[in-house]
Amino acid sequence: MQRLHARYPFLEAARDAVATEAVDLATVVEQDEAVVDRARERVVAALEDGETGQPRREARVELLSYPVARVLVSMVEENILVRKYARAEAATAYDRFTADLEETTELKSVESTGLDLETLLSEFDLHDDVRETSDGYRIDVGTYLPLAEDCWDDEWRLVNRALADGEVPVSEAELLVLLQEAIRSRIEDGLPFDVPEVIATALEDEEAEIREVLADLELTREIDTVVPDLFPPCMKALLDQIQKGEHLPHHSRFAITAFLANIGMSTDEIVDLYRVNSSFGEEMTRYQTDHIRGDSSPTEYSAPSCATMQSYGDCVNKDDLCERIPHPMAYYEERIDDADDDEVEDWRDEGDEGQEASGD
């Protein structure tokens, strides 16, 4: 097994190398502790650090830990873990291939562990879709759109690109980011999958550890989309109480305020929700909201986990998704990701209807 395959395990050649060796994964997870330990580390590091941890010296251990890591992700079967794992593997690959390309640029010989740009483009069947120009590259718009789909900055929006003749101009740095997205998409594709019982049984302890790490994390991202119909039942119930002008206990008020702040609502927007309460005090409400948001404190607070919501007595109206989700933010993120475009209409964009819904 080559170092190149261990360094870039998502390559088709790496998959072929494993197949050629006729590796029995069930035997590996039962007998090769080093591979299993590295696989667990890949997944835990993806959750905690957004990368895949320190690679092992032995190429076989490093390469085989990749399919075993995919097995662990599939056993946990949480969408947010799938996304975080794929992004971490892609981020690690990006760091490695950009370093390889720098070596090539400096006219140093690229060793067998390195990749060049042409090889990367060919790996993802992009060679015919990307053309080098005097000031960068141009990529077919049909190829650009899916690759840039998860790039959130405005600069990636097609309306902000000089589209011409069905091609989108990109710099070399931007092309490398798009290649990172191609890697992420490949890694995420097919996850989770059904794991044979004999393999799942051998990895029960590693699965349990990953679930614990997942439950303890602050599972938030830059969502900035407010769709109450997609809220987890606990937050939907608390929002309903606010809209009815009911008094919330401190822990409930903290939970819904932190949740609304985490999904992108501003202090003004959150304060306006509380105005319907007969005991509303703007100064105190604004102070508390700014504190939770981290504007007037050193910490930006996250919404409580499901376990904490249960201890508060705020976990209500549980549905099937609640049974396998450790955090309200993870619930909302999954509902947002699974919803059709016409279901994801930001509450704040609904004009008068949105104001009526908020009790104004």
Side-chain angles (χ1 to χ4, degrees), residues 103-269:
E103 287 189 352
T104 305
T105 301
E106 294 169 4
L107 301 180
K108 296 178 181 178
S109 61
V110 179
E111 299 178 3
S112 60
T113 57
L115 283 181
D116 57 37
L117 183 57
E118 186 167 336
T119 301
L120 267 175
L121 291 173
S122 297
E123 176 71 23
F124 294 98
D125 296 323
L126 297 175
H127 200 275
D128 293 335
D129 299 331
V130 176
R131 282 160 290 283
E132 188 170 5
T133 67
S134 59
D135 57 352
Y137 295 85
R138 301 190 71 84
I139 180 169
D140 289 350
V141 64
T143 301
Y144 173 85
L145 288 174
L147 290 177
E149 185 177 12
D150 278 357
C151 299
W152 294 96
D153 292 342
D154 284 345
E155 66 193 71
W156 294 100
R157 295 176 60 193
L158 194 58
V159 69
N160 294 325
R161 294 279 166 172
L163 178 64
D165 299 324
E167 296 181 332
V168 181
V170 295
S171 66
E172 181 176 0
E174 290 170 336
L175 177 60
L176 299 184
V177 171
L178 294 177
L179 284 169
Q180 179 182 351
E181 287 300 302
I183 294 169
R184 179 198 59 75
S185 180
R186 173 178 289 184
I187 293 169
E188 190 169 327
D189 186 42
L191 291 175
F193 51 78
D194 293 333
V195 178
E197 185 174 352
V198 63
I199 295 178
T201 300
L203 295 173
E204 284 179 347
D205 291 344
E206 286 75 21
E207 176 194 5
E209 180 180 343
I210 292 167
R211 287 190 183 278
E212 286 184 15
V213 173
L214 187 63
D216 290 341
L217 289 179
E218 297 177 353
L219 300 176
T220 62
R221 76 174 192 196
E222 295 295 330
I223 294 178
D224 198 22
T225 304
V226 183
V227 187
D229 286 345
L230 303 182
F231 281 9
C234 56
M235 296 303 174
K236 193 179 293 185
L238 292 177
L239 179 62
D240 184 58
Q241 291 178 59
I242 292 175
Q243 293 175 315
K244 291 177 179 177
E246 297 178 7
H247 174 74
L248 295 182
H250 176 74
H251 57 76
S252 303
R253 187 180 176 110
F254 170 84
I256 183 62
T257 300
F259 178 81
L260 295 174
N262 291 163
I263 66 174
M265 289 188 68
S266 67
T267 294
D268 288 341
E269 290 165 340

Side-chain angles (χ1 to χ4, degrees), residues 15 28 33 47 53 72 87 116 150 155 173 241 244 248 275 281 286 305 309-310 320:
R15 184 183 305 176
V28 169
E33 185 178 344
L47 283 170
L72 289 170
R87 288 170 184 163
D116 57 37
D150 278 357
E155 66 193 71
Q241 291 178 59
K244 291 177 179 177
L248 295 182
R275 291 186 186 278
R286 187 173 295 278
S305 68
M309 294 294 286
Q310 290 173 9
D320 291 342

Side-chain angles (χ1 to χ4, degrees), residues 12-66:
E12 292 287 353
R15 184 183 305 176
D16 293 343
V18 173
T20 301
E21 294 285 338
V23 174
D24 178 26
L25 213 55
T27 302
V28 169
V29 299
E30 289 176 347
Q31 300 181 2
D32 201 325
E33 185 178 344
V35 170
V36 173
D37 184 65
R38 174 66 181 123
R40 175 198 54 78
E41 182 184 280
R42 290 183 95 106
V43 181
V44 171
L47 283 170
E48 295 182 335
D49 306 317
E51 44 87 25
T52 59
Q54 190 66 30
R56 299 295 188 268
R57 283 181 172 271
E58 188 179 346
R60 180 181 180 277
V61 171
E62 188 66 12
L63 175 56
L64 293 183
S65 70
Y66 174 73

Side-chain angles (χ1 to χ4, degrees), residues 78 211 230-236 305-307 309-310 314-328 330-332 334-335:
E78 294 282 3
R211 287 190 183 278
L230 303 182
F231 281 9
C234 56
M235 296 303 174
K236 193 179 293 185
S305 68
C306 292
M309 294 294 286
Q310 290 173 9
D314 285 332
C315 180
V316 297
N317 306 325
K318 291 178 67 173
D319 59 21
D320 291 342
L321 184 55
C322 293
E323 297 295 337
R324 58 182 183 83
I325 289 290
H327 199 286
Y331 180 108
Y332 187 55
E334 183 157 335
R335 289 293 308 276

